[in-house]
Amino acid sequence: MTTLLATPNGADPLAVSPSPSRRVRLAWPLALRLIMLATLLAVALLAAVRLGAVSLTTRALLDATVGRGDPTTVTIVRELRLPRALQAALVGAALAVSGATFQALLRNPLAEPYILGVSSGAAAGAVLAVVTGWAVRFFWALPIAAFTGAFMSMLLVFRIAFRVGRALDTKVLLLSGVVVSSFLVAVIWLILTFADTESVRSAIFWMMGSHAGASWRSVAILGSCLVPSLLILFALARPLNLLAIGEPTAAYLGTSVERTKIVAFATATLLTAASVSVSGTIGFVGLVVPHAIRLLWGSDNRGLLPCSAIAGAAFLVGADTLARSLAGANELPIGIVTALVGVPCFVWLLRRPAAA
Amino acid sequence: MFKGTILHRVVRVVAIVALLCAAARAANAQAKPAAAIELTDAAGHVVRLAKPARRVISLIPSATETLIALGATPQIVGRTRYDVAPEVAKLPSVGGGLDPSVETIVSLHPDLVIAWESDKRQQIRQQLIAAGIAVFVLRTQDTTDIFRGMANLGRLTGRDSAARAVATSVRGELEVVRRRVAGLSTPTVFYVVYSDPPMTAGPATFIGQLLDLAGGRSIFADLRQNWPTVAMEEIVRRDPDVVIVPVGEFKTNTIDRFRGLAGWRELRAVREGRVVTVPADLSSRPGPGIGEAARVLSAAIHHDFSARAKP
């Protein structure tokens, strides 16, 4: 149990902090890793456009991509598959980077993007929008309500955490996230207990998470939120490395600990909130992708964050493609695919002799 | 002052441009040929079709049944995985009614999709409309919705007279049942939508209304919700004369199971064997089958239990 609530330890393959013994892994240059992962993402994106419930010939697909040929195929490729694949990529990148950041900040390998209650806040907002009927009257009400819910829950969690100590204590933050999340889940089920069956069904569909609602607009909104957030977090990679070793050490080495923590927490939370509001909660990606990258190439955040972003994107695009093409027109919930495919891959990584 | 005049000039130009735009739009609107069919759906959207829909996909199984009853089977080009009618069994499936594969729908070139009003998310409708497909949202809560749905589906598929004929015949079937139970007693009924936790049909649903018409009185006729979950002890307290169990939809709804379940076991109707099953495919579908459903429900409510009790 103590290894799970990790401390920096060179022999621990799941340690969330970089350690000197990991340095040897840097023999794989970062550029090479990024190129490899980017190739993987490109393959996943191609597969996402190529595969689906409707089978298309490569010829028809190429024509449709440039807007020629059968208008139906053009609609399927350009209005349904492409935005969906891109949304999956953006959400995957956001969740993986957000998860990696939370793991570094909280120095806890169990940390994931939803650990501070963002998903419960988003779900509470979404459920309210569904039950009150706003979602029916106004198309963007559902994502806006979800984002507002996520944002409010984040504010609440941080307010509680700040009230308790002088500075932002990550243990208190973690606890306050967990209790706020539990409270919101209770509120959600209280609302749903008295809601009509149709609203309950719609709300549960939303909570299961899906990229089915993707559109160019959702991609644009998510993208414009994602790019600056990713840049901010990438820029914080070095201070995050130091923080992962320990706050006093980080402060000693010239990091402005409080500022780094607040900026990193806020950015990671916003990333998660934006993702959840367009796609619902999709588990597993944010927890496991960063760990997989750590197992492969160590926990230096300068490499970990960009690698996680691309790997998360590729993983979620692949999972979404499987979800909507495995069973024909019957779409599988994406959370099932991420776990069914992701767990065996992760177990294989864990058991690899090189990881020991 | 100088500033003011420039501002005024700008405002004037903007106003003129706006007026011109509005005029152009109005002219445009007039130039467009009036749609042959213009109907408001259950969500309040005005749906326009230039001519009756020739290729239809219904995401609602009961609406599919209505379309079949109207003779519109040749116009149906897809089905959901919940459609059971043999007429559509060979058609390509588009997945679930609430989570269909939009690209499969698009690939079938429908000019009209019938969708659930109860789906509170708008995404399917939004994507289909973006793909140029008309979407008509249907409510299926009570009998008024059912008859309105028949008329609307008839209008949308160019089968007005068939819709009128079906509606008249269903009304006739309901009338026969109503007359048959006129002089009879009104037993109290518990209709089991779902057994664990117990869920029943509220008075404003088509099932609640059919129970009434079939000469029964739901023990939960006072509840406002449409599909209320109720406490077991409240069912025991309200002590129904008959328990009606639709079978076929949920696997847990079998009489033998009820006899063994705590709570249900204590129910006088269960102990004394006054439990009747009805086919769920009939009683749970808000479509043209409600006449037959009313007949079956009335037979269940006025079942002669004494005849069978004798060994």
Side-chain angles (χ1 to χ4, degrees):
Chain A
M1 203 56 216
T2 39
T3 51
L4 273 181
L5 301 169
T7 46
N9 174 357
D12 180 1
L14 285 180
V16 290
S17 55
S19 57
S21 70
R22 302 266 119 183
R23 279 298 153 85
V24 67
R25 297 269 162 81
L26 287 176
W28 256 67
L30 180 60
L32 200 63
R33 288 182 245 157
L34 288 176
I35 290 169
M36 201 196 81
L37 289 172
T39 317
L40 201 65
L41 174 60
V43 170
L45 283 172
L46 282 177
V49 179
R50 181 73 184 79
L51 302 173
V54 178
S55 49
L56 301 173
T57 61
T58 310
R59 176 94 221 122
L61 188 76
L62 288 176
D63 279 349
T65 324
V66 292
R68 277 185 298 150
D70 177 27
T72 308
T73 317
V74 175
T75 306
I76 290 177
V77 173
R78 299 227 297 199
E79 301 305 320
L80 296 171
R81 286 190 189 172
L82 261 178
R84 187 163 175 170
L86 291 176
Q87 178 176 308
L90 293 173
V91 169
L95 291 179
V97 169
S98 165
T101 310
F102 277 122
Q103 285 161 6
L105 282 170
L106 296 167
R107 288 186 288 281
N108 187 330
L110 291 177
E112 41 108 22
Y114 307 135
I115 201 161
L116 294 189
V118 176
S119 55
S120 317
V127 164
L128 262 183
V130 165
V131 170
T132 53
W134 297 328
V136 178
R137 260 169 268 150
F138 171 50
F139 178 65
W140 287 95
L142 194 52
I144 289 173
F147 187 82
T148 313
F151 192 74
M152 303 281 278
S153 73
M154 177 185 93
L155 287 185
L156 184 63
V157 168
F158 276 85
R159 200 176 156 70
I160 295 173
F162 272 121
R163 274 294 168 85
V164 174
R166 282 169 293 112
L168 186 59
D169 182 344
T170 50
K171 283 198 203 79
V172 177
L173 187 67
L174 192 55
L175 277 176
S176 111
V178 170
V179 295
V180 167
S181 181
S182 307
F183 184 80
L184 287 172
V185 168
V187 170
I188 291 169
W189 287 107
L190 182 69
I191 297 174
L192 288 184
T193 305
F194 293 102
D196 55 318
T197 330
E198 289 85 18
S199 297
V200 175
R201 205 161 42 178
S202 300
I204 288 176
F205 264 108
W206 185 89
M207 285 194 270
M208 287 208 300
S210 165
H211 293 296
S215 64
W216 283 111
R217 204 174 295 179
S218 71
V219 168
I221 293 172
L222 193 56
S224 59
C225 176
L226 187 77
V227 172
S229 310
L230 284 185
L231 292 179
I232 292 173
L233 288 176
F234 291 167
L236 286 177
R238 207 187 90 84
L240 279 177
N241 276 348
L242 297 175
L243 270 182
I245 295 170
E247 286 180 20
T249 321
Y252 219 64
L253 292 171
T255 310
S256 45
V257 171
E258 290 311 304
R259 210 189 56 193
T260 307
K261 278 197 293 187
I262 291 167
V263 173
F265 269 127
T267 316
T269 311
L270 283 178
L271 269 182
T272 311
S275 312
V276 174
S277 59
V278 297
S279 68
T281 45
I282 297 171
F284 199 74
V285 184
L287 175 69
V288 163
V289 168
H291 281 310
I293 301 293
R294 271 194 206 95
L295 284 169
L296 283 170
W297 298 311
S299 24
D300 182 341
N301 285 304
R302 286 169 302 176
L304 175 66
L305 292 180
C307 286
S308 295
I310 308 178
F315 179 67
L316 209 53
V317 171
D320 185 56
T321 307
L322 287 179
R324 63 189 168 74
S325 53
L326 273 185
N330 301 315
E331 206 164 280
L332 304 174
I334 188 166
I336 293 178
V337 180
T338 51
L340 279 185
V341 176
V343 169
C345 293
F346 188 67
V347 169
W348 176 78
L349 271 181
L350 266 180
R351 292 177 49 112
R352 236 171 25 124
Chain B
M1 272 297 104
F2 184 65
K3 252 185 175 173
T5 51
I6 285 196
L7 191 66
H8 277 131
R9 218 174 281 171
V10 169
V11 167
R12 205 177 305 156
V13 170
V14 167
I16 288 171
V17 169
L19 266 176
L20 283 176
C21 285
R25 194 174 297 165
N28 233 346
Q30 275 170 0
K32 224 185 267 169
I37 300 169
E38 188 173 305
L39 277 176
T40 306
D41 71 8
H45 314 291
V46 178
V47 177
R48 293 186 185 86
L49 289 179
K51 51 182 189 301
R54 286 218 298 261
R55 299 178 65 84
V56 185
I57 294 176
S58 153
L59 299 176
I60 313 175
S62 61
T64 312
E65 282 175 9
T66 305
L67 287 171
I68 294 169
L70 300 187
T73 313
Q75 284 149 280
I76 306 177
V77 294
R79 61 172 179 95
T80 70
R81 59 169 178 259
Y82 301 108
D83 280 300
V84 290
E87 287 89 339
V88 294
K90 291 229 167 62
L91 292 175
S93 162
V94 299
L98 287 167
D99 57 341
S101 158
V102 174
E103 67 172 59
T104 308
I105 297 180
V106 169
S107 76
L108 293 170
H109 301 280
D111 37 27
L112 175 69
V113 169
I114 309 296
W116 290 94
E117 187 257 348
S118 64
D119 186 6
K120 307 295 178 197
R121 305 158 306 154
Q122 294 267 320
Q123 55 185 42
I124 298 165
R125 184 174 173 275
Q126 201 80 9
Q127 287 175 335
L128 289 173
I129 285 177
I133 299 167
V135 178
F136 194 84
V137 168
L138 220 58
R139 228 177 83 101
T140 54
Q141 209 59 259
D142 56 27
T143 49
T144 315
D145 295 332
I146 297 172
F147 285 110
R148 188 179 295 143
M150 275 178 206
N152 283 338
L153 289 174
R155 188 115 176 66
L156 292 164
T157 55
R159 289 171 188 276
D160 279 319
S161 54
R164 272 193 297 274
V166 171
T168 311
S169 113
V170 173
R171 283 210 173 84
E173 287 169 10
L174 292 178
E175 197 46 46
V176 168
V177 174
R178 198 198 312 270
R179 252 188 252 135
R180 193 182 301 149
V181 300
L184 303 176
S185 62
T186 47
T188 55
V189 178
F190 181 66
Y191 184 92
V192 187
V193 171
Y194 197 72
S195 63
D196 191 17
M199 183 193 269
T200 190
T205 62
F206 69 97
I207 295 179
Q209 293 171 331
L210 291 182
L211 286 175
D212 246 11
L213 183 136
R217 199 174 69 243
S218 168
I219 53 167
F220 290 105
D222 57 324
L223 295 189
R224 271 181 41 240
Q225 296 122 290
N226 283 333
W227 306 100
T229 305
V230 289
M232 195 66 231
E233 56 185 71
E234 194 57 31
I235 308 175
V236 174
R237 192 180 75 79
R238 296 186 183 210
D239 189 25
D241 295 324
V242 187
V243 173
I244 299 182
V245 187
V247 284
E249 191 176 18
F250 297 112
K251 289 195 175 64
T252 51
N253 280 5
T254 62
I255 293 196
D256 288 341
R257 219 178 99 79
F258 281 82
R259 292 217 176 94
L261 276 180
W264 291 100
R265 215 165 38 199
E266 317 310 323
L267 218 54
R268 203 165 51 84
V270 173
R271 271 204 320 266
E272 295 172 8
R274 281 178 281 106
V275 182
V276 199
T277 59
V278 293
D281 277 341
L282 198 60
S283 64
S284 316
R285 298 256 172 154
I290 54 168
E292 175 68 5
R295 199 186 57 74
V296 168
L297 285 175
S298 123
I301 293 167
H302 299 101
H303 189 85
D304 185 7
F305 295 101
S306 58
R308 206 196 44 186
K310 306 268 186 300

